[in-house]
């Protein structure tokens, strides 16, 4: 059976417990078969990601400028790169972060590139992100839906 949970049918692990973290989570499974989890750091108003490598978790702050990271959604593109859509509360807009390994811009981490997709009116609440079989990036939120190739 499992350990760390109320039920022995499950295996539970604490990924991060410093500050008020773990709000508005999203999980996606990488082509390697291991999970990545995005979440909101309420204490610092940041978007964070936890990546599992088979034995340990690595934690990264993706974006820390303004109040960002609520309502995240994560998906992997056909090249195995994770993308995250999330809400920018300061600018009431939808943002997206793409993992680029190095040389990224617009984020707290240069392993990511962060971009504002839409800041017209209030958009980005409860977003979802996904890729179709042609590799086209789709997202939707409470106000709009769009396609990005």
């Amino acid at each position: 059976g499992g350990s760390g949970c109320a039920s022995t049918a499950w295996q539970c692990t604490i990924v991060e417990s410093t500050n008020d973290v773990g709000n508005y989570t999203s999980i996606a499974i990488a082509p390697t078969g291991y999970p990545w989890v995005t979440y909101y750091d309420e204490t610092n108003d940041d978007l964070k990601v936890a990546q599992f490598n088979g034995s340990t978790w690595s934690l990264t702050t993706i974006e820390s400028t303004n109040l960002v990271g609520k309502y995240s959604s994560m998906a992997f593109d056909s090249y195995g790169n994770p993308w995250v859509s999330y809400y920018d509360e300061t600018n009431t807009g939808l943002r997206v972060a793409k993992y680029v390994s190095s040389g990224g811009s617009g984020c707290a981490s240069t392993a990511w590139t962060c971009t504002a997709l839409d800041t017209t009116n209030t958009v980005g609440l409860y977003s979802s992100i996904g890729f179709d079989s042609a590799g086209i990036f789709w997202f939707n939120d409470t106000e709009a839906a769009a396609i990005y190739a």
Side-chain angles (χ1 to χ4, degrees), residues 1-15:
S3 64
C5 302
S7 168
T8 58
W10 290 87
Q11 176 73 37
C12 296
T13 302
I14 295 173
V15 175

Side-chain angles (χ1 to χ4, degrees), residues 25-148:
T25 61
S26 180
I27 189 169
I29 306 302
T32 59
Y34 296 120
W36 290 50
V37 179
T38 58
Y39 56 97
Y40 180 62
D41 177 342
E42 186 87 34
T43 302
N44 297 298
D45 297 312
D46 295 344
L47 173 65
K48 297 182 91 173
V49 66
Q51 176 188 2
F52 188 65
N53 67 9
S55 59
T56 60
W57 290 90
S58 63
L59 310 176
T60 303
T61 298
I62 296 175
E63 187 168 6
S64 60
T65 302
N66 298 322
L67 295 137
V68 291
K70 289 182 180 177
Y71 318 116
S72 65
S73 177
M74 175 181 267
F76 283 84
D77 65 20
S78 59
Y79 299 104
N81 299 311
W83 291 63
V84 182
S85 65
Y86 56 98
Y87 183 57
D88 175 350
E89 189 170 341
T90 302
N91 297 298
T92 62
L94 175 66
R95 291 184 62 83
V96 67
K98 176 187 178 186
Y99 183 77
V100 294
S101 182
S102 65
S105 62
C107 302
S109 168
T110 58
W112 294 82
T113 292
C114 297
T115 308
L117 290 185
D118 193 352
T119 56
T120 305
N121 300 316
T122 300
V123 294
L125 294 168
Y126 316 107
S127 68
S128 293
I129 186 172
F131 292 87
D132 65 18
S133 59
I136 296 174
F137 160 48
W138 293 72
F139 82 91
N140 72 348
D141 67 10
T142 57
E143 298 294 324
I147 304 167
Y148 289 87

